[in-house]
């Protein structure tokens, strides 16, 4: 029996805890919020994040990180990208030295431009490390619906081992060695989901939504490749696959946030959308690398208040005409 420790009591952390507990593994979830911990242990529910899903009795939760990480074979870090540096500093030393650390956050640290793997490796350079990403809604995974994702590690043998360890009857992991490409796809698709959601929220039609997704993918590939990702990775589950999912359903927090932008709604009560933090740093990286990324730049400008959605659409349509594949 493999021992799993899940760091993070949000929807995705709870869903992964549910997945591995149901698969028969000893699974402990670490969350700061005492009410969440109590609800998981007593009522087998996470009412805040997955209120309609019953959790297996075997999924345990704790607010004690030492208890959560002791003896773990695999530690899943399921915390927002902007919080990973602090979480690694606090908890990294508690991870057993031979345990596999798996990073499940999608985003770019806005203050530094670092991906999750770079943050963790800098703090814990000797720890076996992998990154999990791909098209996966938390509720689908928690319900046991079929899902396929990518798990990447710098060493192919470690990636293959991680894929075997993390795959279940309903959760299929494809191994990859392009860590940067997997992380780039997972981060940049969130920015595109904001754009697609804004188009839908503004009522601009399915044709405009398709155009945003398609041209957004062009920018994802350009910038992802410039950051060091491989083209085939960006065409895979963690790039194109995740883009299609997150740009087409309000189950995606980023798409839902974009819809609110398009409608002009108050967004203060919305759940965290990682693309809000990623857009600015992605636009900055594109400028620094000389990458043409008008959708990313436009989303960043909308979020800072420099453009409204209507002006943003007009600016994109008014760009000089060009050949599609240049």
């Amino acid at each position: 029996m493999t021992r799993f420790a899940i760091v993070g009591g949000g929807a995705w952390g709870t869903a992964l805890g549910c997945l591995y507990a149901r698969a028969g593994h000893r699974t402990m979830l670490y969350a700061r919020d005492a009410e969440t911990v109590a609800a998981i242990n007593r009522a087998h529910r996470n009412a805040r994040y997955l209120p309609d899903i019953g959790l297996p009795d075997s999924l345990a939760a704790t607010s004690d990180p030492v208890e959560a990480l002791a003896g773990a074979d695999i530690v899943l870090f399921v915390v927002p990208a902007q919080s990973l540096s602090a979480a690694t500093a606090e908890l990294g030393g508690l991870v057993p030295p031979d345990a596999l650390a798996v990073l499940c956050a999608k985003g770019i640290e806005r203050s530094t431009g670092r991906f999750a793997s770079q943050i963790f490796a800098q703090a814990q350079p000797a720890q076996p490390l992998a990154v999990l990403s791909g098209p996966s809604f938390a509720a689908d995974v928690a319900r046991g619906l079929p899902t396929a994702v990518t798990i990447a590690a710098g060493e192919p043998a470690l990636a293959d081992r991680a894929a075997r360890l993390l795959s279940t009857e309903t959760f299929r992991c494809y191994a990859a060695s392009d860590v940067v490409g997997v992380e780039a796809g997972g981060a940049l698709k969130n920015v595109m989901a904001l754009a697609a959601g804004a188009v839908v929220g503004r009522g601009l039609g399915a044709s405009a939504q398709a155009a945003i997704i398609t041209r957004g993918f062009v920018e994802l590939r350009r910038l992802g490749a410039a950051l060091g990702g491989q083209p085939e990775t960006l065409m895979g589950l963690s790039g194109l696959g995740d883009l299609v999912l997150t740009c087409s359903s309000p189950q995606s927090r980023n798409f839902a946030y974009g819809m609110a932008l398009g409608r002009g709604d108050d967004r203060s009560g919305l759940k965290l959308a990682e693309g809000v933090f990623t857009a600015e740093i992605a636009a900055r990286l594109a400028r620094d690398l000389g990458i043409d990324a008008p959708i990313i730049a436009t989303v960043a400008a909308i979020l800072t208040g420099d453009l409204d959605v209507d002006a943003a659409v007009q600016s994109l349509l008014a760009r000089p005409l060009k050949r599609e594949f240049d």
Side-chain angles (χ1 to χ4, degrees), residues 171-186:
F171 193 76
R172 182 177 176 86
C173 296
Y174 286 83
S177 55
D178 179 15
V179 174
V180 170
V182 168
E183 291 187 290

Side-chain angles (χ1 to χ4, degrees), residues 54 78 181 259 288 308:
V78 196
M259 289 180 67
D288 291 347
D308 61 29

Side-chain angles (χ1 to χ4, degrees), residues 197-223:
V199 163
V200 172
R202 199 65 181 161
L204 299 179
S207 299
Q209 183 182 3
I212 283 290
I213 294 172
T214 306
R215 294 307 301 175
F217 180 56
V218 172
E219 294 186 22
L220 184 154
R221 290 187 67 188
R222 283 181 190 147
L223 183 51

Side-chain angles (χ1 to χ4, degrees), residues 38-270:
I40 292 173
N41 288 333
R42 296 173 187 170
H44 309 296
R45 296 270 175 180
N46 188 332
R48 183 177 179 185
Y49 291 105
L50 292 173
D52 300 326
I53 298 175
L55 307 177
D57 295 353
S58 57
L59 175 61
T62 181
S63 55
D64 180 353
V66 175
E67 179 186 11
L69 297 174
D73 301 304
I74 299 176
V75 181
L76 305 183
F77 280 84
V78 196
V79 296
Q82 309 309 321
S83 304
L84 182 62
S85 183
T88 302
E90 177 187 359
L91 304 173
L94 299 177
V95 178
D98 294 332
L100 173 64
V102 182
L103 308 179
C104 305
K106 300 175 183 178
I108 304 172
E109 190 174 48
R110 59 178 173 174
S111 61
T112 65
R114 294 183 300 174
F115 288 118
S117 62
Q118 296 166 327
I119 295 170
F120 193 93
Q122 185 172 345
Q124 301 291 127
Q127 196 76 46
L129 182 65
V131 171
L132 185 148
S133 191
S136 48
F137 284 144
D140 290 349
V141 172
R143 290 189 174 100
L145 299 178
T147 304
V149 298
T150 302
I151 187 155
E155 299 177 7
L158 179 58
D160 291 339
R161 173 173 167 259
R164 289 192 300 270
L165 290 171
L166 272 75
S167 291
T168 73
E169 291 182 354
T170 61
F171 193 76
R172 182 177 176 86
C173 296
Y174 286 83
S177 55
D178 179 15
V179 174
V180 170
V182 168
E183 291 187 290
L188 298 176
K189 61 88 184 178
N190 286 333
V191 182
M192 304 311 171
L194 292 171
V199 163
V200 172
R202 199 65 181 161
L204 299 179
S207 299
Q209 183 182 3
I212 283 290
I213 294 172
T214 306
R215 294 307 301 175
F217 180 56
V218 172
E219 294 186 22
L220 184 154
R221 290 187 67 188
R222 283 181 190 147
L223 183 51
L227 291 169
Q230 298 172 8
E232 59 267 30
T233 304
L234 300 169
M235 286 286 293
L237 287 165
S238 58
L240 178 60
D242 213 356
L243 179 74
V244 170
L245 181 71
T246 201
C247 286
S248 58
S249 171
Q251 285 191 72
S252 160
R253 293 181 180 183
N254 292 282
F255 186 85
Y257 195 100
M259 289 180 67
L261 275 174
R263 293 192 299 255
D265 292 348
D266 177 21
R267 303 182 301 279
S268 59
L270 293 180

